Amino acid sequence: MDSIELAKKIRLHAIDMVNHAHASHIAGILSVADIIAVLYAEVLKYDPQNPNDPARDRFVLSKGHNGVAVYAALAECGFFSVDDLDTYGDDGSAFSCHISHKNVPGIEVSTGSLGHGVGIACGMALHGKCREKDYKVYSVIGDGECDEGSIWEMAMLSAQHKLDNFTVIIDRNRMQAMGFCEDIINTDPLKEKWEAFGWMAIEMVDGHDHRQLLDSFNQKHPGKPKVIIANTIKGKGVSFMENNLLWHYRAPQEEYYYLAKKELERL
């Protein structure tokens, strides 16, 4: 399956799952869907029949509230049945509303406390570097997550140890739970900040362009960790959700669900 098809499937699964669970975070899930699709279709080295293969690449979704996108990608890539997604958010389901590794093959670690997942990913990369392993480590964070001090502690440590086996992707949709990032804590100029912390930084004009994403992943970064700043649209693919803060927490129910699904099916 190519990344374009996978991204569409992720978005359609996401609408169904969030509607079923009366859950939150649909807009952020839609903004990160293309990044997740390119990672799983084009970049990551993994074996769905052997999810704990020591040679696998590691992926950590630090913005764990968007875990639906990863659950959907894993199902479509054969880690478990697509039908299992129907239990998302149910009592006793393995698929919790913040991403969880318990009983879910392919998930490295449970996340959701912002700023923590990417620190764990840094530790995985450091372990690989020290042990001279060939695997690579990738982690997706949000631009609102960059408000957390632990992000910058991780950035300094990664640069100090020259973790060129480590890539961080920022889902830069310019919004967070309570408003626009520039109004909460303005982290601009973001690219220059990461460069000042010793990283190779790539800022993409369109974080939904799969070719741009793949080209960014393929750029070598010897001696430095790499950060990809992917400019995205919160709610991407659903016109009434795009750049609308309401859909950070609101669940798509009744007519909103059907309208959203109709738009996503036309992508």
Side-chain angles (χ1 to χ4, degrees), residues 3-4 6-8 10-11 27-44 46 59-63 66 69-70 73 138-143 167-173 202 204 206-214 216-217 227-234 236:
S3 62
I4 299 293
L6 181 56
K8 180 174 181 176
I10 288 171
R11 288 187 166 96
I29 295 163
L30 296 176
S31 81
V32 81
D34 294 295
I35 297 169
I36 300 301
V38 171
L39 277 165
Y40 278 92
E42 307 284 356
V43 176
L44 293 173
Y46 58 83
F59 171 67
V60 176
L61 181 71
S62 193
K63 49 181 301 188
N66 292 163
V70 179
Y138 301 83
S139 185
V140 170
I141 65 176
D143 48 354
T167 299
V168 170
I169 309 95
I170 302 176
D171 178 27
R172 197 186 195 193
N173 58 40
I202 302 168
M204 297 177 52
D206 183 358
H208 299 294
D209 184 312
H210 289 216
R211 176 50 55 190
Q212 283 190 45
L213 280 165
L214 188 56
S216 297
F217 281 119
V227 61
I228 299 169
I229 303 168
N231 287 297
T232 60
I233 298 171
K234 197 156 185 172
K236 175 68 174 178

Side-chain angles (χ1 to χ4, degrees), residues 7 15 18 23 25 27 29 36 38 49 73 81 83 108 131 159 164-165 174 201 244:
I15 288 292
V18 174
H25 308 305
I29 295 163
I36 300 301
V38 171
Q49 304 307 312
S81 171
D83 292 340
E108 297 289 343
R131 301 281 180 159
D164 50 10
N165 59 343
R174 299 183 182 274
N244 186 341

Side-chain angles (χ1 to χ4, degrees), residues 17-26 88 97 249-253:
M17 293 164 71
V18 174
N19 168 264
H20 168 78
H22 291 252
S24 303
H25 308 305
I26 185 61
Y88 172 71
C97 293
Y249 286 121
R250 190 174 188 180
Q253 298 296 311

Side-chain angles (χ1 to χ4, degrees), residues 32-264:
V32 81
D34 294 295
I35 297 169
I36 300 301
V38 171
L39 277 165
Y40 278 92
E42 307 284 356
V43 176
L44 293 173
K45 179 177 65 179
Y46 58 83
D47 178 1
Q49 304 307 312
N50 183 17
N52 295 318
D53 181 0
R56 73 191 184 281
D57 289 337
R58 274 69 167 168
F59 171 67
V60 176
L61 181 71
S62 193
K63 49 181 301 188
H65 54 290
N66 292 163
V68 163
V70 179
Y71 292 149
L74 291 172
E76 289 292 343
C77 292
F79 283 82
F80 45 83
S81 171
V82 169
D83 292 340
D84 292 346
L85 300 176
D86 294 341
T87 69
Y88 172 71
D90 291 349
D91 287 345
S93 172
F95 303 101
S96 60
C97 293
H98 280 67
I99 198 166
S100 174
H101 71 284
K102 187 177 181 181
N103 299 321
V104 184
I107 304 294
E108 297 289 343
V109 62
S110 304
T111 61
S113 184
L114 294 179
H116 289 188
V118 72
I120 298 171
C122 169
M124 293 174 177
L126 180 59
H127 176 271
K129 192 81 168 176
C130 291
R131 301 281 180 159
E132 298 183 345
K133 302 295 184 181
D134 291 331
Y135 67 76
K136 297 179 181 179
V137 182
Y138 301 83
S139 185
V140 170
I141 65 176
D143 48 354
E145 191 173 1
C146 291
D147 296 353
E148 299 284 354
S150 53
I151 293 290
W152 303 103
E153 294 177 26
M154 175 280 303
M156 287 188 289
L157 183 69
S158 298
Q160 175 72 24
H161 291 282
K162 299 179 172 59
L163 298 183
D164 50 10
N165 59 343
F166 186 30
T167 299
V168 170
I169 309 95
I170 302 176
D171 178 27
R172 197 186 195 193
N173 58 40
R174 299 183 182 274
M175 301 177 77
Q176 54 193 98
M178 304 308 292
F180 286 89
C181 294
E182 66 178 355
D183 298 324
I184 307 299
I185 296 181
N186 190 350
T187 54
D188 286 334
L190 197 54
K191 180 175 183 287
E192 288 80 357
K193 281 186 172 67
W194 284 87
E195 288 174 336
F197 273 74
W199 288 56
M200 175 185 174
I202 302 168
E203 184 162 11
M204 297 177 52
V205 174
D206 183 358
H208 299 294
D209 184 312
H210 289 216
R211 176 50 55 190
Q212 283 190 45
L213 280 165
L214 188 56
D215 288 346
S216 297
F217 281 119
N218 286 338
Q219 286 193 41
K220 304 297 183 183
H221 49 113
K224 290 185 176 184
K226 178 170 67 176
V227 61
I228 299 169
I229 303 168
N231 287 297
T232 60
I233 298 171
K234 197 156 185 172
K236 175 68 174 178
V238 179
S239 59
F240 58 86
M241 292 183 183
E242 291 186 357
N243 291 319
N244 186 341
L245 186 63
L246 179 67
W247 294 99
H248 185 87
Y249 286 121
R250 190 174 188 180
Q253 298 296 311
E254 299 175 353
E255 72 271 20
Y256 294 111
Y257 165 69
Y258 295 108
L259 287 170
K261 190 157 187 178
K262 186 176 180 180
E263 289 194 24
L264 291 174

